[in-house]
Amino acid sequence: LIENSIRPLALGRKNYLFAGSHKGAQRAAMMYSFFASCKYAGVNPWEWLADVLGRIGAHPVNRLEELLPERWAEKQGGGL
């Protein structure tokens, strides 16, 4: 179970080599982290991303943690 849970991270490391730039690799790693957080919280990552991208521009900076997958799921009434 442990090996299977970290397999995407190992694959991601290889993919980061071909991200085009260091910043591109950092952004890809950030998205992998967000999607792993969605999986952990039982949140559909595409629903979460669509909702958050639509709201983030008007969301107060001091409350950005509310948009993280676990907190987002609480406000939506649960995960998947």
Side-chain angles (χ1 to χ4, degrees):
L1 281 172
I2 298 296
E3 187 175 317
N4 285 337
S5 69
I6 64 171
R7 185 167 288 135
L9 298 175
L11 293 174
R13 273 186 301 220
K14 289 183 180 181
N15 292 337
Y16 305 147
L17 294 173
F18 304 103
S21 69
H22 182 70
K23 288 252 185 222
Q26 286 178 322
R27 290 181 180 122
M30 179 183 62
M31 293 309 294
Y32 273 107
S33 295
F34 280 136
F35 291 147
S37 294
C38 285
K39 183 178 178 180
Y40 179 77
V43 169
N44 180 318
W46 302 112
E47 288 178 15
W48 170 79
L49 188 60
D51 182 58
V52 167
L53 288 177
R55 295 191 305 150
I56 197 165
H59 200 79
V61 174
N62 62 339
R63 294 184 15 224
L64 285 177
E65 69 278 351
E66 294 174 0
L67 300 178
L68 293 174
E70 188 173 308
R71 297 281 298 279
W72 182 87
E74 292 169 2
K75 291 197 177 235
Q76 301 301 314
L80 292 173

